[in-house]
Amino acid sequence: MLGRKAFRFMACSAMAVFGIALASVQLPTNAQQLASTGPYTAEQANAGRATYQVKCATCHLPDLKGSNEASPLTGINFLNMWRDRATSDLFNRIRNTMPVTDPGSLGDEEAVNIVAYIFQANGAAAGDQALTPTTMALIGAVIGGEGSAATAQSTERTPAGQTPAARPPAPARASGAPAGLTFAGEVKNYVPVTDEMLRRADPSDWIMVRGNYQGWNHSPLTQITRDNVKDLKLAWVWSMNDAVGANEPTPLVHNGIIYLTNVDNILQALDGRTGDLIWENRLRPQGSQGGGTGAMRNLAIYQDKVFAATTDAHLIALDARTGKVMWDTVIADVGRGYGNSSGPIVIGGKLIQGLGGCDRYKAQDKDQGCFISAFDPADGKLLWHFNTLARSGEPGGDSWGELPNMLRVGSETWITGSYDPELNLTYWGVAQAKPWMQASRGTKGTALYSSSTLALHPDDGKLAWYFQHVPGETLDMDEVYERVLVDIDGRKTVFTIGKTGILWKLDRKTGEFIDAKETVFQNIFNIDHKSGKLAYRPDILEQEIGKWTPSCPSTEGGHNWQAMSYDPGTARLIIPLSQSCMEMSGRKVEFTEGSGGTAGDRKFYEMPGTDGNVGKLAAFDVKTMKEVWSWQQRPSFLTAVLSTNGGIAFVGDLNRYFRAVDVNTGKVLWQIRLGTSVQGFPVAFSIGGKQYVAVTTGLGGGSPRNVPRTILPDIHPPTTGNALYVFTLPDSK
């Protein structure tokens, strides 16, 4: 065990500190003079811009304003962090810890140029003097001069509903128009997908996120069993786009054709038997990123179209046969920070889509807040939307205290919901309020509908009920993840588990609390098992700006986007869990348009009692909520769990292993080591009576990947290798 060694983590881990001092260095007497003459050239900033867009924009976004895992690199919130430090401090941070996929891989010149570009984006003028790794100008002097963007923001106090007089200049986005259809072909003998097929899917197919409306992540196929899985062999492998971003997709499979999302908004159709490419469409410009990780976690398929939500908040319909774009609808303005990392679900002839990147303050009322939307699959027309942030004057609006609407941010729905066709209700998880800590966001209200389960009527988007799991959440303990629908002895229930590691069981007709189970060690709450209400540890509610607050689990989460599986044969939930702890410190956030964000610094360390094992796989009885079996390992699990009627469950990890385990015992029955970390959503399908299992490898992935990177320095997956692997049993002799 490494012990309780803490690692500070900032800015998508690309800006994580690994033993680098945070204190400002002693500046020379000519520091102010250096600042007034540059201290960088326009050539350096231009070069830095190009490097930034390739190496940094996925986490910190093209406009440098930061995303959920990444701190801002422009504006007053950046200046608040760096004002009293030297330019060499910023260089060292970038040089030694960026990018997240390959820390320390930047050369001195690249890192210096990125620093120059950051200065330029903050309004500092270029000069004749080149920036060097050892330049020690005070950052506050470089970008805090009269007329700079940071100063313009820092001196204003914009009333709600008004636009600031000055903003940081928006940096150029990645160049190039949408590439469009880059490989033309046609799916032969395509069979349109009907509503009935979605309700009762052919076991040979995998035609929606998590396999069925109930979100089970389970396949009824039986050919691969606990007895023969040891013979599983690689059928073929398909190399995917290796651009910067998170690769964690769900392959869709229909009638033997695989529809696959790649990093950078690339969609492909592949022959499921051979891996041959049928068509490819690059949907959006290279590097188009909104508020998220760059992931495209799932697609939807309906009638003759495949639907993709892009990272820059577009919803696009493609002809499933040819890959040609049929329509393109803007869900929200990427320029305002919005984006997507998961796609839609089709319910009753409607595309229902969530939204991410809702963490920035927006003055204009029409752009405020976050929402779930429904669209017409025929033409992309908006049908309804439901606000996941209760505004002033609306039901629940007083739960945000006195905050004006502009300062009510967060409550994203970046994981696709589930659906009960009998009740005609769709269930969605809602993310936490932003900034992460109450001390930063300026209110201790419960902040509806953050950290909640929502049950919506899909026909009109009206709220049927909600259950708020963590009122006024204040440590990034997100509850946005999958909702799994299970009928138990005639009672309709819904299960979910978030970063707290608390497994929740609710009545899905009414939202009534039934039970809760702690699946990993947590020291944040006391739980009332009769009411389901949580009580924070007192010192957490006494938090102050800049004061470190310890907690278990960390923002890696006891559970994160890697979905659990429900195995109906054993009536068990099989859940990939993570075990790490942290300290969090909130930063001061300016209450101005374009500000906001997550505003939390973190230090990570191993969870007590785990002997350094971050990964945990465990099965829980849905009736009793008791843990039936579990096993731990040092690497974290980075895939959803896929169970099958063959009595096995599949799961992959950071250390490149893809395994099959016995659903009854958790015993490992088969394993293989792949090219890089195994990451995404495994699926099972059948072609011509032959069963296959597919899984992706990938990079990126947010906290579930980045936190283990800091506390598991002995695990070294390669920094390239996005791919789709397909396995099957050998042909009978």
Side-chain angles (χ1 to χ4, degrees):
M1 184 171 178
L2 299 179
R4 192 182 181 280
K5 184 176 182 181
F7 297 78
R8 178 188 286 265
F9 180 88
M10 296 174 62
C12 199
S13 168
M15 299 291 281
V17 176
F18 298 86
I20 299 174
L22 292 178
S24 301
V25 299
Q26 184 64 42
L27 296 179
T29 56
N30 65 338
Q32 182 64 47
Q33 181 180 357
L34 287 174
S36 65
T37 58
Y40 72 93
T41 66
E43 291 77 14
Q44 287 180 307
N46 290 336
R49 179 195 299 263
T51 303
Y52 176 90
Q53 295 296 340
V54 174
K55 300 292 183 68
C56 313
T58 295
C59 283
H60 295 275
L61 304 187
D63 62 6
L64 289 82
K65 289 187 177 179
S67 62
N68 189 48
E69 290 289 341
S71 58
L73 299 178
T74 186
I76 186 58
N77 294 325
F78 168 75
L79 190 59
N80 284 342
M81 286 188 288
W82 288 93
R83 177 183 286 108
D84 298 325
R85 301 176 190 170
T87 54
S88 58
D89 287 343
L90 184 57
F91 164 81
N92 286 326
R93 182 78 65 85
I94 294 171
R95 173 66 178 85
N96 293 325
T97 66
M98 283 187 67
V100 61
T101 54
D102 194 10
S105 63
L106 292 170
D108 285 0
E109 184 176 2
E110 288 179 305
V112 163
N113 291 342
I114 291 172
V115 173
Y117 173 53
I118 292 172
F119 291 162
Q120 182 189 68
N122 279 277
D128 296 329
Q129 180 176 341
L131 186 69
T132 74
T134 58
T135 300
M136 289 193 293
L138 193 68
I139 291 176
V142 173
I143 64 176
E146 183 178 356
S148 76
T151 298
Q153 275 200 320
S154 66
T155 56
E156 67 184 355
R157 293 293 185 270
T158 307
Q162 294 184 16
T163 303
R167 302 181 196 167
R173 298 177 58 81
S175 61
L181 200 64
T182 53
F183 189 91
E186 185 174 353
V187 173
K188 305 299 183 182
N189 303 314
Y190 178 80
V191 177
V193 175
T194 65
D195 291 285
E196 181 62 21
M197 291 167 66
L198 291 173
R199 291 183 63 162
R200 296 177 179 85
D202 185 331
S204 298
D205 284 350
W206 193 277
I207 55 175
M208 72 173 66
V209 60
R210 300 188 296 276
N212 62 5
Y213 274 140
Q214 293 74 29
W216 286 4
N217 262 358
H218 177 85
S219 169
L221 295 176
T222 60
Q223 189 176 89
I224 301 172
T225 69
R226 59 171 59 92
D227 296 321
N228 63 23
V229 69
K230 64 182 183 299
D231 299 322
L232 210 58
K233 303 294 183 184
L234 180 67
W236 52 266
V237 61
W238 173 259
S239 293
M240 300 173 65
N241 184 26
D242 249 340
V244 176
N247 195 53
E248 47 198 61
T250 305
L252 287 191
V253 188
H254 176 48
N255 206 25
I257 304 302
I258 296 176
Y259 296 93
L260 181 66
T261 60
N262 286 242
V263 174
D264 245 354
N265 301 298
I266 297 172
L267 185 55
Q268 298 163 332
L270 306 170
D271 186 309
R273 193 192 304 267
T274 65
D276 291 334
L277 180 65
I278 299 174
W279 56 253
E280 175 183 277
N281 197 319
R282 296 177 177 252
L283 301 180
R284 302 293 301 146
Q286 182 180 6
S288 292
Q289 305 294 348
T293 62
M296 295 173 66
R297 291 188 184 89
N298 70 281
L299 304 164
I301 187 168
Y302 183 59
Q303 296 175 341
D304 59 349
K305 300 180 183 69
V306 176
F307 305 92
T310 63
T311 56
D312 57 349
H314 285 237
L315 186 61
I316 299 178
L318 292 84
D319 187 313
R321 297 179 179 87
T322 65
K324 295 179 180 179
V325 172
M326 307 298 287
W327 52 257
D328 182 343
T329 292
V330 176
I331 303 170
D333 183 2
V334 68
R336 309 281 281 167
Y338 292 112
N340 280 304
S341 59
S342 292
I345 185 171
V346 179
I347 298 174
K350 296 178 178 63
L351 288 170
I352 302 183
Q353 174 65 41
L355 187 61
C358 306
D359 57 343
R360 298 186 192 175
Y361 301 145
K362 302 171 179 67
Q364 287 86 355
D365 184 72
K366 67 181 180 65
D367 289 327
Q368 288 171 355
C370 210
F371 45 85
I372 300 168
S373 306
F375 299 88
D376 189 326
D379 55 14
K381 179 183 178 181
L382 177 67
L383 301 175
W384 57 255
H385 74 248
F386 177 86
N387 292 329
T388 57
L389 285 155
R391 303 186 187 187
S392 299
E394 296 179 349
D398 57 354
S399 65
W400 287 82
E402 298 300 319
L403 284 184
N405 286 336
M406 187 185 82
L407 303 184
R408 302 180 183 202
V409 294
S411 296
E412 294 90 347
T413 48
W414 55 272
I415 293 292
T416 307
S418 304
Y419 174 58
D420 183 337
E422 294 180 0
L423 295 177
N424 195 28
L425 292 177
T426 181
Y427 303 88
W428 290 73
V430 184
Q432 72 284 63
K434 308 292 191 309
W436 282 334
M437 301 190 81
Q438 290 179 354
S440 296
R441 63 178 179 258
T443 181
K444 292 188 177 182
T446 57
L448 289 176
Y449 295 96
S450 68
S451 302
S452 297
T453 294
L454 299 180
L456 302 178
H457 296 284
D459 295 334
D460 56 13
K462 297 296 176 64
L463 179 67
W465 58 258
Y466 75 90
F467 179 89
Q468 191 170 36
H469 301 274
V470 189
E473 196 286 314
T474 190
L475 289 171
D476 185 27
M477 292 293 105
D478 205 338
E479 295 286 342
V480 74
Y481 308 107
E482 71 276 12
R483 268 56 186 169
V484 179
L485 315 184
V486 182
D487 293 347
I488 305 172
D489 296 331
R491 188 173 192 181
K492 289 178 172 290
T493 66
V494 53
F495 291 86
T496 189
I497 179 172
K499 286 188 178 182
T500 62
I502 297 172
L503 177 64
W504 298 88
K505 182 179 182 181
L506 307 175
D507 186 300
R508 70 175 186 268
K509 286 185 178 180
T510 65
E512 177 189 356
F513 171 79
I514 300 174
D515 203 355
K517 171 72 174 179
E518 296 173 74
T519 63
V520 298
F521 171 69
Q522 70 88 16
N523 61 7
I524 301 172
F525 309 103
N526 289 321
I527 306 174
D528 183 332
H529 284 271
K530 291 184 178 180
S531 66
K533 293 182 178 179
L534 304 180
Y536 270 109
R537 213 176 64 220
D539 65 295
I540 293 175
L541 296 179
E542 296 167 0
Q543 63 190 232
E544 300 173 4
I545 295 293
K547 180 180 178 181
W548 291 98
T549 301
S551 68
C552 297
S554 77
T555 55
E556 177 189 15
H559 179 68
N560 209 291
W561 58 260
Q562 309 96 302
M564 60 181 150
S565 174
Y566 173 63
D567 177 60
T570 60
R572 294 171 184 169
L573 298 166
I574 306 173
I575 310 177
L577 302 165
S578 295
Q579 303 177 125
S580 63
C581 300
M582 70 174 180
E583 295 181 19
M584 179 179 282
S585 173
R587 298 192 296 267
K588 179 183 177 183
V589 175
E590 295 294 316
F591 293 160
T592 57
E593 184 183 14
S595 183
T598 53
D601 297 331
R602 293 163 288 170
K603 303 174 183 177
F604 296 104
Y605 54 92
E606 294 174 1
M607 184 173 283
T610 63
D611 198 28
N613 291 311
V614 174
K616 178 181 177 181
L617 188 70
F620 296 86
D621 186 289
V622 295
K623 292 184 180 180
T624 66
M625 300 284 277
K626 291 182 179 179
E627 183 180 293
V628 180
W629 57 257
S630 71
W631 58 278
Q632 301 180 61
Q633 63 174 32
R634 188 152 171 75
S636 56
F637 294 103
L638 288 181
T639 72
V641 176
L642 166 71
S643 61
T644 77
N645 275 3
I648 50 182
F650 293 90
V651 67
D653 68 29
L654 176 68
N655 204 27
R656 302 191 286 132
Y657 280 103
F658 186 48
R659 293 185 174 95
V661 304
D662 191 317
V663 296
N664 289 315
T665 65
K667 179 183 177 182
V668 176
L669 302 173
W670 169 86
Q671 66 182 29
I672 189 171
R673 212 168 189 198
L674 304 181
T676 191
S677 50
V678 191
Q679 181 168 288
F681 294 78
V683 303
F685 59 95
S686 181
I687 304 175
K690 190 175 183 62
Q691 183 180 341
Y692 298 83
V693 174
V695 70
T696 52
T697 53
L699 310 175
S703 285
R705 184 183 178 92
N706 299 333
V707 175
R709 181 185 293 277
T710 68
I711 62 178
L712 301 178
D714 50 312
I715 307 297
H716 300 287
T719 57
T720 58
N722 291 349
L724 173 67
Y725 292 80
V726 178
F727 301 91
T728 192
L729 294 172
D731 292 329
S732 300
K733 295 182 180 179

